[in-house]
Amino acid sequence: QVQLVESGGGLVQPGGTLRLSCAASGLSFRTYAVAWFRQAPGREREFVAANRRSGDNTYYSDSVKGRFTISRDNAKNTVGLEMSSLKPEDTAVYYCAAKRGLILSSIRGPQNYDYWGQGTQVTVSS
């Protein structure tokens, strides 16, 4: 049984930094594309960042580019999201997702991912 579990969410002040982590069981991230999405109240789930099995194949939404960094540790079977210069508009529930054999054109669509975590709340507020 596949399970993805996010951790690291919380309350942070604007301009602060937070690191999320996603741990997998039942699958090996080594053979999967992995991604982070987020969903704010009343809004659709939106793409944040993705990595297609190697460090060079990394993609970000325009809203987080330069502030967020996705990383993976295949030995620990975890995926991280380092978030810096956080803004109130970054407030959302953050989800990690995984898909084997994801093509580049599908990387930003949440409907293209097979496995999801339960989400972790990130609140940016003073």
Side-chain angles (χ1 to χ4, degrees), residues 7-107:
S7 61
L11 174 65
V12 62
Q13 292 188 342
T17 298
L18 207 59
R19 177 176 172 80
L20 306 182
S21 184
C22 175
S25 59
L27 65 78
S28 173
F29 274 148
R30 188 184 306 275
T31 60
Y32 281 75
V34 293
W36 289 92
F37 288 80
R38 66 187 182 187
Q39 188 166 19
R43 301 188 66 175
E44 294 185 352
R45 192 166 297 189
E46 67 169 341
F47 171 79
V48 174
N51 176 267
R52 292 178 68 213
R53 296 182 57 185
S54 70
D56 292 338
N57 294 314
T58 303
Y59 310 90
Y60 298 93
S61 68
D62 288 343
S63 61
V64 308
K65 194 176 299 181
R67 300 188 298 121
F68 290 12
T69 302
I70 188 172
S71 62
R72 64 163 75 210
D73 186 332
N74 288 333
K76 296 181 178 179
N77 214 23
T78 59
V79 175
L81 185 69
E82 183 86 11
M83 306 183 294
S84 61
S85 303
L86 282 161
K87 305 174 182 180
E89 51 263 43
D90 294 318
T91 295
V93 177
Y94 283 71
Y95 300 89
C96 68
K99 165 73 175 180
R100 176 177 283 177
L102 191 67
I103 61 175
L104 182 57
S105 61
S106 299
I107 205 163

